[in-house]
Amino acid sequence: MTNNAKEKINIEISNQNDSFTIGGKEFHSRFILGSGKYSLNLIKAAIENAKAEMITLAVRRANTKEQENILDYIPKNITLLPNTSGARNAKEAVRIAKIARELGCGDFVKVEIMRDSKYLLPDNLETIKATKELVKEGFIVMPYMYPDLYVARDLVEAGAACVMPLASPIGSNKGLSTKDFIQILVDEIEVPIIVDAGIGAPSQACEAMEMGATAIMANTALATSQNLPLMASAFNKAIEAGRSAYLAGLGRVITRGASSSDPLTGFLRD
């Protein structure tokens, strides 16, 4: 067997065994379906084509129609991540999380607190407060936050199971507008980094994974695409490719000049 063939097998085995853990639960898929533009077709595509193992659920949106409940369409093996969407402060977020647990949604909760209705940016201070309280109540807290190193450290100290920095404003599909700050979190924070909000294309998801992000959460990019199953599949492949590239180790970058990759080009110096 050639060295190239051995390397290919090793990479494939590595990818198969590659997983991450949140709240003591192991996940193999690095795509998470976000809440928001819900449709049953979106849920189906995310599970079947994007291989999602975790789906967020805004408690106030569980019933999309009078006789239709989203929970009826999510398989039992999928981890529910109740979302405190709509909360304007820590007190409201804690209340929503407790309601979700009473409804049987489990102990996972995504803390999402926004006071501003124009830019929909997370309130980091209130998020830290809510995280502290919910951890005391036994929740597995996954906080959505504006990427800030000090805030991330405070969230980890408060007991957050991961941190979920936004890539760009919710629903914008603008991509990695906060790339440099997310990279700092990847480099400095011990818990999983899940890039959330604003990822609008598979290439952007791939880039975030190449940076070392643990997983990607997306919704609008899929929901607003022209072919939902195909886009979900594209995200799955892009995330896998980005993860493989990160594990392989990206090649060096030359900021100035060039470096010959073929010694035959040496004649250019004559």
Side-chain angles (χ1 to χ4, degrees), residues 185-218:
L185 300 190
V186 169
D187 293 343
E188 300 295 332
I189 300 300
E190 296 295 329
V191 301
I193 307 298
I194 300 175
V195 177
D196 182 16
I199 294 293
S203 58
Q204 296 161 2
C206 181
E207 185 176 6
M209 296 304 297
E210 289 175 348
M211 291 164 54
T214 302
I216 302 294
M217 178 174 286

Side-chain angles (χ1 to χ4, degrees), residues 236-252:
N236 176 52
K237 293 173 182 176
I239 289 170
E240 287 185 352
R243 178 63 179 173
S244 294
Y246 172 73
L247 293 175
L250 297 175
R252 54 139 172 85

Side-chain angles (χ1 to χ4, degrees), residues 5-254:
K6 290 179 180 178
E7 289 177 3
K8 181 178 180 182
I9 290 175
N10 288 335
I11 290 173
E12 288 176 349
I13 292 174
S14 176
N15 285 344
Q16 289 173 2
N17 297 332
D18 187 33
S19 63
F20 65 99
T21 302
I22 293 180
K25 190 163 186 176
E26 187 178 23
F27 297 92
H28 292 88
S29 172
R30 294 178 181 272
F31 174 80
I32 302 173
L33 179 64
S35 63
K37 295 174 174 61
Y38 259 127
S39 74
L40 302 183
N41 288 334
L42 175 59
I43 295 173
K44 182 179 180 181
I47 295 172
E48 295 181 359
N49 301 98
K51 311 302 181 185
E53 295 176 340
M54 181 184 292
I55 295 178
T56 68
L57 174 69
V59 177
R60 59 193 175 88
R61 294 179 187 146
N63 292 313
T64 56
K65 296 179 181 177
E66 186 175 344
Q67 296 181 338
E68 185 179 88
N69 192 316
I70 288 173
L71 295 176
D72 296 334
Y73 297 88
I74 299 178
K76 299 300 182 183
N77 63 320
I78 299 297
T79 298
L80 281 178
L81 180 59
N83 188 326
T84 66
S85 175
R88 295 164 294 181
N89 53 52
K91 183 177 180 180
E92 291 181 1
V94 171
R95 179 173 61 84
I96 293 172
K98 289 181 176 180
I99 291 173
R101 185 155 66 179
E102 288 296 321
L103 291 173
C105 294
D107 294 328
F108 279 80
V109 63
K110 178 188 175 186
V111 172
E112 186 173 318
I113 301 174
M114 293 172 287
R115 289 185 294 168
D116 173 73
S117 60
K118 182 177 182 180
Y119 299 104
L120 300 177
L121 296 176
D123 186 322
N124 282 350
L125 180 59
E126 290 295 307
T127 299
I128 294 171
K129 292 179 182 178
T131 298
K132 289 180 180 178
E133 181 63 28
L134 289 170
V135 169
K136 291 178 183 177
E137 295 285 343
F139 283 90
I140 299 165
V141 184
M142 299 171 64
Y144 170 60
M145 47 90 73
Y146 191 87
D148 178 284
L149 177 59
Y150 303 114
V151 172
R153 285 174 173 166
D154 287 343
L155 288 169
V156 173
E157 185 176 351
C162 69
V163 292
M164 305 179 71
L166 64 85
S168 55
I170 288 177
S172 67
N173 281 351
K174 287 184 176 180
L176 289 165
S177 298
T178 59
K179 177 180 178 179
D180 290 344
F181 302 104
I182 291 176
Q183 186 67 69
I184 291 173
L185 300 190
V186 169
D187 293 343
E188 300 295 332
I189 300 300
E190 296 295 329
V191 301
I193 307 298
I194 300 175
V195 177
D196 182 16
I199 294 293
S203 58
Q204 296 161 2
C206 181
E207 185 176 6
M209 296 304 297
E210 289 175 348
M211 291 164 54
T214 302
I216 302 294
M217 178 174 286
N219 177 273
T220 303
L222 276 70
T224 59
S225 67
Q226 300 300 307
N227 187 318
L228 183 48
L230 190 58
M231 183 59 73
S233 178
F235 261 85
N236 176 52
K237 293 173 182 176
I239 289 170
E240 287 185 352
R243 178 63 179 173
S244 294
Y246 172 73
L247 293 175
L250 297 175
R252 54 139 172 85
V253 175
I254 297 177

